[in-house]
Amino acid sequence: MQQPSTDGPLDRAFAIIGYVASQTRAASVADIAAALSLPLPTAHRLIGNLEQRGLLQKAVGTKRYVVGNQMVTLSARVIGAAFRTARRHAVLRAVAAEIGEQCEIGVVRDNVVAYVDSVRVSQPQGLQFNPGEAAPLHCTSTGKIYMSRLPERTREKLCHALTLTRYTETTIVDVEHLMKVLDETRKRGWAKTNEEYVRGVVGCAVPILSPDRELIACLGVSVPVARVSFTELDRFIAPLQKAAALLSETILADNEDGVSEAVSAS
């Protein structure tokens, strides 16, 4: 039986997107063509088509390419759909029940945190992150994890580019302070927030990683400070990390029933 071609236009387009997404800096057409052994005219044509569709875009002020906004949005939606399966939602339910607080899964899209699934186990108090809602990077645990994992120069540029809005008295709005917190977050591997987005609400999050240790999403908890202090958040880290490891194992695997059934959050 003849095997399907792995060198068609679609294969090459996906290869180009994959290559650009794997780079820590913007890539030129020549870089892409050389890395993928493509004729330069073919690379120009395919990259042009991807750029027209928003899947690639030129880095500001250059002729080099980065992943486009449409690709980022699509990726976040795909990740969200992958997490909203019965099997993975069950993991989220289990850790929320163990902790006794609302847990949520968030991804970064267009420089904001987008929540794709959540489970609450008690009556709503304080901040509730529900699927479809978005929050800023600089004052959420998921946002801090995302920024902390960027290359240092990219991280610094992003911190200067973001509008560091002050939401509460403890929101970090100084770039140098934020950079220091992100460096600490990178070394520690998880993040905390101390009433930085909503007064009276603290939270923490851990990364959900792919098998090659790339960040897929974050698993976090938000809780009223009247019930759990900022310092006491540390006791949630171990169960969150355990659940994140389970999610990491299942995110790229087929569901047990072979069906990606969407499950609405509680």
Side-chain angles (χ1 to χ4, degrees):
M1 182 176 177
Q2 186 176 3
Q3 295 295 319
S5 172
T6 58
D7 197 31
L10 187 59
D11 300 291
R12 291 177 173 181
F14 273 113
I16 289 171
I17 293 171
Y19 174 77
V20 173
S22 69
Q23 302 306 296
T24 57
R25 55 184 297 179
S28 69
V29 175
D31 291 337
I32 296 168
L36 301 177
S37 300
L38 294 174
L40 201 56
T42 301
H44 270 290
R45 174 174 53 81
L46 290 171
I47 292 167
N49 288 337
L50 293 169
E51 184 180 12
Q52 288 177 2
R53 290 161 176 79
L55 302 177
L56 293 181
Q57 64 187 40
K58 289 187 177 74
V60 177
T62 77
K63 294 183 179 181
R64 304 173 74 89
Y65 287 89
V66 295
V67 173
N69 290 333
Q70 289 295 329
M71 189 70 238
V72 174
T73 299
L74 176 61
S75 299
R77 288 175 178 169
V78 170
I79 291 171
F83 277 111
R84 290 191 299 273
T85 62
R87 187 177 177 187
R88 289 160 200 134
H89 191 73
V91 175
L92 188 59
R93 279 185 175 278
V95 69
E98 179 180 356
I99 287 174
E101 302 291 347
Q102 165 163 320
C103 292
E104 59 267 343
I105 294 173
V107 299
V108 172
R109 180 176 67 201
D110 295 335
N111 284 339
V112 297
V113 177
Y115 293 93
V116 298
D117 201 2
S118 68
V119 168
R120 69 172 62 115
V121 295
S122 58
Q123 291 299 313
Q125 297 183 43
L127 183 61
Q128 300 293 319
F129 286 125
N130 298 311
E133 294 182 353
L137 291 179
H138 68 291
C139 52
T140 55
S141 298
T142 291
K144 289 179 181 178
I145 289 174
Y146 167 77
M147 289 192 289
S148 76
R149 294 177 63 87
L150 295 172
E152 186 174 359
R153 189 170 180 180
T154 304
R155 191 190 325 156
E156 184 174 4
K157 286 182 178 179
L158 179 57
C159 287
H160 280 94
L162 289 174
T163 301
L164 302 181
T165 302
R166 183 182 293 280
Y167 293 94
T168 72
E169 296 88 342
T170 54
T171 304
I172 300 172
V173 295
D174 177 73
V175 171
E176 295 303 319
H177 184 189
L178 180 58
M179 288 289 292
K180 182 178 179 181
V181 169
L182 295 179
D183 186 55
E184 292 170 353
T185 299
R186 185 182 183 92
K187 293 174 182 176
R188 188 173 53 206
W190 49 272
K192 296 168 67 175
T193 51
N194 188 14
E195 301 184 67
E196 295 168 39
Y197 186 33
V198 173
R199 186 176 181 180
V201 177
V202 294
C204 58
V206 301
I208 301 171
L209 305 176
S210 69
D212 57 1
R213 309 300 293 172
E214 293 293 329
L215 182 66
I216 302 174
C218 291
L219 173 62
V221 58
S222 305
V223 58
V225 71
R227 193 158 64 230
V228 178
S229 71
F230 179 68
T231 302
E232 290 173 329
L233 285 172
D234 291 10
R235 63 186 168 91
F236 295 148
I237 298 303
L240 286 174
Q241 288 175 328
K242 182 179 177 181
L246 287 174
L247 290 167
S248 297
E249 291 173 5
T250 64
I251 188 59
L252 298 181
D254 292 334
N255 287 334
E256 291 173 354
D257 58 3
V259 179
S260 295
E261 178 185 358
V263 178
S264 60
S266 299

